[in-house]
């Protein structure tokens, strides 16, 4: 298996200020960790790093770092562990590499790609994907570019678990065997309940009105000042207000 080759230089000074000066000079600061070896501060060409990335493996690319050192030049197998990206320019500003060995497994994530249309989706269900990226463990030269999962046979209520995955030789997932990976669930239907109109709290219905009856409905009290319907009993004679003086009768003249 051919690995991407990138030339790197040892950075004699570490810290924020030297890293800032490296970026100002067009270089990308980096650090190499792993294998119980003291961390090594590096600088490299950011354009060369981007061009060396495998277009399918991307961050799972295995590099041969050609460390330029006047006293002890060496080639180091490494992978990217972390990348800091500038939020404005979207360019890398710092990279962490980790040493790897062809005889040791590394833990990475690879894209999980679903194939087929589930029977349950055709019947109206919804497909739910629990993991868009699958965590795996494999030796560097056995890392796949993706893992495919056929979901055609899934019906509503069915699920595929980590134990159902068909992984390439030398690859294992770090998920629990019973952990769900993809499932088809029934569609969610919201029920809208109709509620009867309820009088405002504290409101007193008009005298003679049926509680909850709409104005003008049978049993509802007539509005004030409204004329009675034909055949309706005349309204009772209004009583004088308490304390009002009685009206004197006028005497007819002789």
């Amino acid at each position: 298996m051919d690995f991407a080759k990138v030339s790197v230089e040892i950075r004699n000074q570490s810290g924020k200020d030297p890293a800032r000066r490296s970026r100002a000079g067009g270089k990308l600061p980096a650090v190499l960790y792993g294998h119980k070896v003291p961390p090594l501060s590096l600088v490299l060409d950011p354009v060369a790093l981007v061009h060396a990335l495998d277009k399918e493996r991307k961050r799972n690319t295995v590099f041969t770092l050609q460390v330029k050192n006047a006293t002890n030049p060496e080639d180091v197998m490494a992978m990217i562990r972390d990348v800091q990206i500038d939020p404005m320019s979207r360019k890398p500003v710092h990279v962490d590499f980790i040493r790897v060995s062809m005889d040791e497994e590394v833990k990475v994530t690879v894209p999980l790609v679903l194939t087929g249309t589930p029977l349950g989706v055709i019947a109206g269900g919804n497909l739910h994907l629990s993991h868009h990226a699958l965590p795996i463990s494999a030796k560097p030269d056995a890392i796949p570019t993706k893992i495919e999962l056929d979901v055609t046979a899934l019906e509503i209520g069915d699920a595929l678990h980590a134990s159902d995955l068909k992984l390439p030789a030398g690859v294992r997932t770090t998920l629990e065997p019973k952990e769900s990976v993809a499932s088809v669930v029934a569609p969610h239907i919201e029920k809208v309940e109709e509620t009867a109109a309820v009088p405002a709290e504290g409101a007193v219905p008009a005298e003679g009105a049926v509680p909850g009856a709409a104005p003008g409905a049978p049993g509802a009290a007539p509005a004030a000042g409204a004329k009675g319907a034909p055949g309706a009993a005349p309204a009772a004679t209004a009583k004088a207000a308490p304390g009002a003086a009685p009206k004197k009768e006028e005497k007819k003249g002789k």
Side-chain angles (χ1 to χ4, degrees):
M1 181 177 181
D2 294 331
F3 302 117
K5 295 182 179 180
V6 178
S7 294
V8 297
E9 299 177 9
I10 293 180
R11 180 161 47 102
N12 296 322
Q13 294 179 325
S14 60
K16 293 183 178 180
D17 289 339
R20 190 178 296 110
R21 288 194 294 270
S22 296
R23 284 190 288 269
K27 296 292 185 178
L28 177 64
V31 177
L32 176 62
Y33 300 93
H35 286 182
K36 298 180 180 180
V37 178
L40 189 62
S41 298
L42 306 171
V43 290
L44 64 150
D45 182 358
V47 177
L49 177 64
V50 174
H51 288 169
L53 282 173
D54 187 289
K55 299 303 182 288
E56 292 184 339
R57 297 179 183 276
K58 297 180 180 180
R59 287 185 58 170
N60 289 337
T61 301
V62 180
F63 296 93
T64 298
L65 297 182
Q66 298 174 322
V67 182
K68 294 181 179 181
N69 189 343
T71 59
N72 186 26
E74 61 175 333
D75 289 349
V76 179
M77 305 300 297
M79 295 179 65
I80 294 176
R81 186 174 70 174
D82 187 34
V83 179
Q84 296 179 20
I85 303 295
D86 183 271
M88 299 299 293
S89 65
R90 306 306 302 167
K91 294 180 179 180
V93 294
H94 192 277
V95 179
D96 288 344
F97 290 102
I98 184 169
R99 296 173 183 264
V100 297
S101 171
M102 295 299 102
D103 299 327
E104 296 178 1
E105 291 185 343
V106 293
K107 293 181 179 180
V108 296
T109 59
V110 295
L112 181 60
V113 180
L114 304 184
T115 62
T117 302
L119 296 175
V121 171
I122 297 175
N126 297 320
L127 177 63
H128 176 68
L129 181 61
S130 304
H131 297 275
H132 293 275
L134 186 69
I136 66 168
S137 182
K139 293 180 180 179
D141 58 350
I143 298 174
T145 57
K146 61 183 177 181
I147 298 294
E148 293 187 349
L149 179 62
D150 186 3
V151 295
T152 305
L154 286 180
E155 297 186 1
I156 295 178
D158 291 345
L160 289 175
H161 304 87
S163 58
D164 298 317
L165 293 169
K166 296 180 180 179
L167 301 175
V171 178
R172 60 185 180 88
T173 178
T174 56
L175 296 177
E176 292 294 330
K178 294 184 179 180
E179 186 166 347
S180 175
V181 177
S183 59
V184 176
V185 297
H188 178 68
I189 302 177
E190 296 183 358
K191 295 182 179 180
V192 180
E193 297 182 358
E194 296 182 359
T195 55
V198 179
E201 185 178 354
V204 180
E207 183 178 355
V210 178
K227 295 182 179 180
T237 305
K239 295 181 180 180
K247 187 178 182 180
K248 295 181 180 182
E249 294 183 0
E250 296 180 0
K251 295 182 180 181
K252 296 181 180 180
K254 294 181 180 181

